[in-house]
């Protein structure tokens, strides 16, 4: 028995005792038994009220009432499971979208790198481009001359062949400067990290540091791993330490497994660029700002260093400038678009949730109107309006918390899936977006806010309700559907928003389907692509050249092979390099004087045919084009247009950035090189026999089953040298996945939003239409009884809805066309002016309208005046 | 709604009933009915408490721990709840009484000039 129950029992006893005593007193004064008891009761007052007041002393009344409201809300929802289910589903989707987007935003943008004092960690970038990449000496100068950083480190990312425990495996790793771990500031999990002396000079140290993941996966979490001898690209290394769990390098989506000193760069990559000022595309850099140094001081120091370098190396450095950007997402190169995209999607998710709330709000308002009579009676017998409002609010919040709980489950599944998903690329890209518990709190907050937002919609109705009017008027608000109400505007807005998302989804879908069938300039169908890096097997350039030719001969001899060739880089592989091109008459070979920059490939004979690149004029490259013969190239049509301004280019010359003349021997078709959404860009193919490369990709066109060919090629490579790690091997089409990836993401995201928007619109329109119809059913019946035709009745009942639908859709279409321009950056040839897109949007909206008003229309047409008028 | 009889009685100010109950209990533990009678008797029947309203007030005081309740036997030999002042309640009575005196004095000072003007 609770204290309250005990006290209430005492009270009852006390009251009985009191009245009994008073009665006895009255009898003593001479009253009759009956009169005495009656007088005693009268004198005591209202027993129930006394009990209630005493009960209030012992309870938190509001809490008890709240519980009552909750129980009532649950009962109401159980009674109308259809409504409850729809509402919960809509909210679950709306809230889940917000949580997922917020989870990704948090992981990618908001959460800093998991290192101590992450706010002092910055990426060094160039002022003239967003891709933060440098020549090694540039970073070295900043490291040695600055006064504002406690540490500066250059690093490169690359794939290595790691031999450990008797097996060779390609791993991704960083070559890092000696101050890298000072910049990062983490403590080793085992052993030690790399330090300045490891990076003092080439060969200073054979130390390698493993990431926690690599230690776990490749070394079986061996606690005695420190001191283990391994080989990286056939060079001997010793494991000296393991990084702590959760540290995967300083780029968020690239998972590094091993760290080695950058001083050993030449032995790993076969070329030496540590002293080259011209190789601007070699290293990235990350810095730690000293405590107490302000951003302006940093910038001033960086400017001073840049101008010193420019004075000292006027030929190599024309317009060098440094700046700092936030670390983790390749500076502003990916960071900018990613931040923009995520913020955009977040806003979209917010709008969708708002639309969902508006929708549920109008459904709620409609239900409140249905309950007008009940509310009026409750107000008439003395319930406070606040109490009624609270009840509606509690009902709304119960729904939204159910929705939020479902949303949490959905978001958890989606984010975990995303975190465990490997992008279709050889790069070790992962989204570290594992859901955080803080998201539950976020979901709860959103749910309550959403609940309040749509629960407050019937506010005006409740506070304006006049019990006299409602009860007298028999509950038929004949004004409904005549005046323009807030919910009409909300519905139109929502249809407009839905139309925007639908338009965007169609534009993006159309772009995606175009990009799947577009002319790439090459044909990846029935082509097997095998990438391997002979650097990782320590080949000299001559040995590599020999092996590559041998491999080409053997592969060409395979049955079913139509054509085969190899190249240092293939189009759309994300590794594109460019070459500055100068007119033949140039004498100034600074990069700023270049006519343009062209994509630059080194290819073997047969590559054109194997890749399906069209040779329009001239000849293919040949192995007779050697290091000693004059330089030649095959260029594409765009190259010809931009440099020669005519169609006849075979036999003409241009100069490279060394000032050496190159003769054009062939012309090929245009195509895509870096992204699918790019315009036509100039490109040039050079014979790989004139300037070799150790890192090549074998391209084989076959009419046999590609799977067999993949295996056959792997066998050939293994027979030639077991130590060659194969980086990628498979069909070219599947490997191109990454190129269509941005459009796929955009299409899926927009498609989901579009479908969700449609669902909302249908629910909203259906709700409002049936509400309007049911409110005016009596009036409509009278009209039918008086002889109105079906057409007139429909016009009266739902004319307003059609106007709303049409105007919302038109506004939405206009907005959608405007918004889809933003899409063209992500999706190939995205345009809403496409008649196909326009037609699809219009058709979809018409269908939406039909589906959502079909029910109410049927109800209107089947109005039977006799039944209805008898009922009321 | 109010009858003539009711109008002649003085409505109790908020919190005054609490003070009166505490004062009544100074003389020792009393049961509910006796408290009501005592208040009416001591005020020459000017203060007529609606007897029921006594009980929420008593429970309020119990909750504040100014009074306690115990079982006992009433004068006509029946079991009844006896209400008793606690040490804390006794202190509170002193505080409340001096507060009341101050307030009564202040109101009297405000009202006296008005009476003179009126005359």
């Amino acid at each position: 028995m609770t204290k309250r129950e005990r006290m209430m029992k005492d009270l009852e006893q006390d009251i009985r005792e009191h009245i009994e005593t008073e009665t006895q007193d009255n009898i003593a004064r001479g009253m009759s038994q009956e009169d005495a008891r009656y007088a005693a009761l009268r004198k005591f007052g209202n027993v129930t009220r006394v009990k209630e007041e005493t009960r209030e002393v012992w309870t938190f009344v509001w809490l008890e009432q709240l519980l009552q409201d909750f129980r009532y809300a649950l009962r109401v929802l159980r009674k109308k499971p259809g409504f409850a289910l729809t509402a919960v589903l809509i909210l679950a989707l709306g809230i889940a979208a917000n949580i997922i987007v917020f989870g990704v935003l948090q992981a990618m943008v908001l959460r800093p790198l998991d290192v101590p004092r992450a706010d002092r960690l910055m990426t060094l970038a160039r002022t003239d481009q967003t891709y933060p990449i440098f020549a090694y000496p540039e970073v070295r100068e900043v490291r040695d001359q600055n006064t504002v950083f406690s540490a500066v480190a250059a690093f490169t990312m690359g794939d290595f062949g790691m031999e450990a425990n008797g097996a060779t495996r390609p791993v991704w790793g960083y070559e890092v400067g000696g101050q890298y771990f000072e910049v990062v500031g983490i403590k080793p999990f085992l052993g030690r990290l790399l330090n300045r002396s490891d990076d003092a000079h080439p060969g200073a140290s054979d130390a390698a540091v493993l990431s926690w993941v690599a230690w776990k996966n490749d070394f079986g979490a061996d606690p005695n791993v420190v001191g283990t001898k391994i080989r990286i690209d056939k060079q001997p290394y010793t494991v000296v330490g393991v990084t702590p769990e959760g540290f995967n390098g300083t780029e968020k989506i690239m998972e590094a497994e091993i760290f080695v000193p950058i001083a050993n760069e030449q032995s790993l990559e076969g070329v030496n660029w540590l002293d080259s000022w011209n190789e601007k595309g070699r290293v990235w850099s990350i810095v730690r700002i000293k405590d107490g140094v302000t951003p302006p001081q940093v910038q001033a120091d960086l400017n001073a260093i840049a101008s010193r370098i420019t004075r000292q190396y006027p030929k190599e450095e024309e317009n060098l400038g440094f700046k700092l950007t936030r670390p983790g997402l390749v500076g502003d190169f990916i960071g900018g678009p990613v931040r923009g995209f995520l913020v955009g999607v977040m806003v979209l998710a917010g709008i969708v949730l708002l639309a969902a709330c508006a929708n549920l709000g109008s459904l709620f308002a409609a239900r409140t109107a249905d309950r007008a009579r009940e509310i009026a009676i409750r107000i008439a017998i003395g319930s406070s309006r606040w109490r009624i409002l609270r009840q509606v609010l509690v009902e709304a919040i119960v729904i939204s918390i159910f929705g939020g709980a479902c949303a949490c489950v959905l978001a958890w599944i989606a984010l975990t899936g995303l975190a465990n998903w490997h992008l279709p690329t050889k790069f070790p890209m992962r989204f570290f977006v594992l859901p955080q518990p803080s998201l539950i709190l976020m979901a709860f907050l959103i749910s309550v806010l959403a609940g309040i937002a749509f629960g407050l919609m019937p506010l005006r109705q409740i506070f304006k309700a006049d019990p006299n009017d409602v009860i007298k008027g028999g509950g038929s608000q004949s004004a409904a559907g005549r005046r323009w109400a807030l919910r009409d505007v909300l519905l139109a807005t929502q249809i407009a928003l839905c139309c925007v998302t639908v338009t965007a989804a169609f534009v993006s879908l159309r772009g995606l389907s175009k990009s799947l069938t577009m002319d790439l300039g090459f044909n990846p169908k029935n082509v097997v692509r095998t990438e391997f890096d002979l650097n990782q097997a320590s080949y000299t350039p001559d040995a590599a050249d020999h092996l590559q030719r041998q491999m080409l001969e053997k592969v060409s001899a395979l049955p079913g092979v139509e054509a085969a060739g190899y190249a240092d880089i293939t189009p759309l592989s994300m590794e594109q390099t460019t070459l500055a091109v100068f007119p033949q008459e140039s004498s100034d070979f600074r990069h700023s004087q270049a006519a343009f920059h062209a994509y630059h490939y080194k290819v073997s004979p047969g590559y054109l045919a194997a890749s399906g690149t069209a040779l329009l004029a001239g000849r293919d490259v040949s192995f007779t084009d050697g290091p000693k013969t004059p330089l030649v190239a095959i260029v594409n049509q765009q190259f010809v247009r931009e440099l020669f301004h005519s169609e006849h280019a075979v036999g003409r010359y241009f100069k490279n950035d060394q000032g050496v003349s190159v003769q054009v021997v062939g012309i090929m078709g245009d195509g895509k090189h870096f992204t699918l959404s790019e315009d036509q860009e100039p490109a040039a193919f050079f014979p790989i026999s004139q300037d070799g490369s150790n890192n090549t990709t074998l391209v084989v066109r076959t009419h046999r089953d590609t799977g067999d060919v993949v295996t056959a090629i792997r066998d050939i490579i293994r027979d030639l040298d077991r130590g060659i790690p194969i980086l990628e091997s498979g069909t070219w089409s599947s490997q191109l996945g990454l190129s269509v990836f941005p459009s796929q993401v955009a299409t899926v995201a927009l498609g989901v939003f579009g479908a969700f928007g449609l669902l909302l619109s249908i629910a909203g329109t259906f709700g409002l239409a049936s509400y309007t119809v049911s409110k005016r059913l009596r009036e409509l019946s009278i009209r039918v009884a008086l002889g109105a035709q079906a057409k007139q009745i429909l016009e009266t009942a739902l004319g307003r809805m059609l106007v709303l639908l049409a105007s919302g859709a038109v506004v939405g279409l206009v907005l959608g066309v405007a918004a889809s321009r933003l899409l063209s950056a992500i999706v190939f040839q995205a345009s809403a002016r496409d008649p196909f897109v326009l037609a699809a949007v219009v058709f979809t909206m018409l269908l939406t309208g039909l589906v959502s008003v079909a029910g109410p229309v049927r109800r209107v047409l089947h109005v039977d005046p006799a039944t209805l008028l008898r009922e009321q | 709604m109010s009858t003539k009889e009711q109008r002649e009685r003085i409505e109790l100010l908020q919190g005054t009933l609490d003070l009166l109950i505490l004062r009544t209990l100074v003389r020792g533990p009393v049961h509910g009915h006796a408290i009501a009678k005592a208040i009416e008797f001591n005020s020459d029947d000017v203060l007529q408490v609606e007897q029921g309203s006594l009980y929420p007030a008593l429970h309020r005081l119990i909750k504040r721990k100014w009074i306690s309740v115990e079982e006992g036997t009433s004068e006509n030999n029946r079991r009844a709840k006896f209400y008793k002042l606690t040490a804390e309640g006794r202190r509170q009575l002193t505080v409340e009484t001096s507060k009341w005196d101050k307030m009564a004095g202040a109101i009297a000072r405000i009202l006296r000039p008005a009476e003179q003007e009126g005359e």
Side-chain angles (χ1 to χ4, degrees), chain A residues 3 7-8 10-11 13-26 29 40 42-46 49-51 53-54 56-59, chain B residues 31-34 36-37 40 48-63 65 69 71 74-76 78-83:
Chain A
K3 176 158 192 181
M7 297 311 287
M8 292 309 293
D10 281 3
L11 179 75
Q13 192 194 336
D14 232 5
I15 292 174
R16 267 200 310 276
E17 181 60 32
H18 184 117
I19 292 170
E20 189 54 39
T21 312
E22 182 74 25
T23 314
Q24 293 304 326
D25 284 5
N26 289 345
R29 267 187 241 142
R42 204 171 39 198
K43 186 147 198 195
F44 189 86
N46 187 337
R49 212 189 66 218
V50 167
K51 281 190 194 165
E53 274 177 35
T54 311
E56 277 180 28
V57 172
W58 295 109
T59 39
Chain B
H31 58 82
H33 183 252
K37 285 287 164 206
E40 283 170 23
Q48 289 233 356
V49 183
E50 187 178 55
Q51 293 183 343
S53 66
L54 195 64
Y55 289 92
L58 280 170
H59 281 254
R60 228 172 4 248
L61 293 176
I62 294 172
K63 196 180 180 190
K65 298 200 169 65
V69 61
E71 292 280 339
S74 66
E75 46 268 44
N76 42 12
R78 300 170 69 102
R79 284 180 64 248
K81 301 269 174 257
F82 276 74
Y83 297 91

Side-chain angles (χ1 to χ4, degrees), chain A residues 315-334:
Chain A
K315 189 166 164 297
E316 293 87 351
E317 301 293 347
E318 280 182 72
N319 40 13
L320 181 66
F322 297 110
K323 66 178 179 184
L324 296 185
T325 63
R326 288 167 60 187
L329 290 172
V330 201
D332 290 334
F333 180 69
I334 299 186

Side-chain angles (χ1 to χ4, degrees), chain B residues 15 18-19 22 66 91-101:
Chain B
D18 294 3
L19 180 59
L22 290 178
W66 293 349
R91 268 199 305 280
Q92 194 60 31
L93 176 60
T94 331
V95 174
E96 295 286 326
T97 311
S98 77
K99 258 201 221 162
W100 175 261
D101 286 346

